[in-house]
Amino acid sequence: QVQLVESGGGLVQPGGSLRLSCAARGSRFSINAMGWYRQGPGKERELVATITPLTTTNYADSVKGRFTISMDNAKNTVYLQMNSLKPEDTAVYYCNVQTVNEWHLRYDYWGQGTQVTVSS
């Protein structure tokens, strides 16, 4: 079983920055991809960004040019650097990891979520 530990959320003013971190902890697994999703008030959960161990990245159009996803393979940790934050970025941000275990079985894990609030 894999546990995801998220950190870095908080309250910032529009135009500010935050850096989210998510560490995958466990054993006997390999990571196919990690990513960030978010769910704002009254909205559906949506993709923010994903990354593979080979650093292939994918971003939602709404965050391109402002957010940067990165991963430290040695630490099994994914980061989301968020710059030029807007009020519409306010949401609970969830870390996701897609794993493969020693028997080649795939499974997705989700973090507990961290609140990001952008307000003046």
Side-chain angles (χ1 to χ4, degrees):
Q1 202 167 9
V2 176
Q3 293 180 318
L4 301 181
V5 181
E6 301 181 25
S7 63
L11 173 64
V12 297
Q13 295 184 345
S17 298
L18 283 174
R19 190 191 192 204
L20 306 183
S21 298
C22 176
R25 301 176 180 176
S27 62
R28 300 182 184 276
F29 72 94
S30 298
I31 294 175
N32 284 344
M34 300 186 78
W36 292 95
Y37 296 72
R38 68 185 182 187
Q39 187 169 17
K43 300 179 181 179
E44 297 181 350
R45 185 174 297 186
E46 64 176 351
L47 173 88
V48 178
T50 60
I51 189 169
T52 71
L54 298 178
T55 68
T56 300
T57 58
N58 183 45
Y59 295 92
D61 288 340
S62 60
V63 306
K64 286 181 179 178
R66 300 188 298 120
F67 291 9
T68 302
I69 189 170
S70 61
M71 179 164 55
D72 185 331
N73 291 334
K75 297 180 179 180
N76 287 336
T77 299
V78 64
Y79 306 92
L80 186 67
Q81 179 66 47
M82 304 184 293
N83 299 325
S84 302
L85 283 163
K86 304 175 181 179
E88 49 264 44
D89 295 318
T90 296
V92 177
Y93 284 70
Y94 296 92
C95 177
N96 170 266
V97 59
Q98 182 184 109
T99 66
V100 176
N101 69 11
E102 58 189 319
W103 297 286
H104 308 287
L105 298 177
R106 295 186 177 183
Y107 197 80
D108 282 9
Y109 294 90
W110 292 90
Q112 80 282 0
T114 184
Q115 178 70 49
V116 172
T117 302
V118 184
S119 177
S120 60

